[in-house]
Amino acid sequence: MIKNHIINAGLGLALARARHKDAIVICDANMPIPPGCAEIDLSLVRGVPTMLQTMKAILNDFVAERYQVFELMPQYNPEAYQAVQALLPQLEGGAISQEELAQLMPRAKAVVRTGDFGSCCTMVLYSASGMDKYTQRYSCEFKEG
């Protein structure tokens, strides 16, 4: 289910093809991606874009009903984990193991590689049916610094 702002052709197509319960994986630059996945590499330079920027941009077009974070994120990157929880209070959250991720990635509509080098910055968004309660908008501005 797509809303309207992604300009990356591959990512826009993957979001448009996602149906109820389909997965979109957002991973950091270090996450091993198995062969045969629908990989979309958004990385530009170290740290650009981040997992959180990518998640917010995707959620401006993608209707999600739930998410899972990499199971080690709360322990090794509590700031990212808290940010995800704060941005998605209306969605059911959960955790996913490395093994489960490796099994899910080949079936996902997209595995989106970011430029994030933060520890354990990987998550999965699951497509909703398009219900209004899931269509909140996010700011994903990139600020010059």
Side-chain angles (χ1 to χ4, degrees), residues 8-58:
N8 178 284
L11 182 54
L13 182 59
L15 298 180
R17 288 185 170 166
R19 298 297 176 252
H20 192 208
K21 301 196 182 288
D22 282 341
I24 301 291
V25 177
I26 304 170
C27 64
D28 59 47
N30 297 314
M31 177 60 71
I33 299 173
C37 293
E39 180 180 353
I40 299 168
D41 192 338
L42 298 182
S43 62
L44 181 60
V45 295
R46 187 179 190 91
V48 177
T50 67
M51 179 202 68
L52 290 172
Q53 289 168 331
T54 303
M55 178 197 76
K56 290 188 282 184
I58 287 172

Side-chain angles (χ1 to χ4, degrees), residues 26-32 46-47 50-52 69-84 98 101 114-123:
I26 304 170
C27 64
D28 59 47
N30 297 314
M31 177 60 71
R46 187 179 190 91
T50 67
M51 179 202 68
L52 290 172
V69 297
F70 182 50
E71 69 181 349
L72 298 177
M73 185 189 289
Q75 179 182 357
Y76 291 104
N77 197 338
E79 298 83 17
Y81 180 62
Q82 291 166 1
V84 169
Q98 178 76 35
L101 266 171
T114 70
D116 209 324
F117 276 78
S119 185
C120 305
C121 287
T122 298
M123 66 180 301

Side-chain angles (χ1 to χ4, degrees), residues 91-112:
L91 299 184
E92 175 187 338
I96 189 166
S97 70
Q98 178 76 35
E99 296 79 25
E100 292 169 315
L101 266 171
Q103 291 174 0
L104 174 68
M105 284 179 170
R107 298 188 323 267
K109 288 296 177 183
V111 177
V112 183

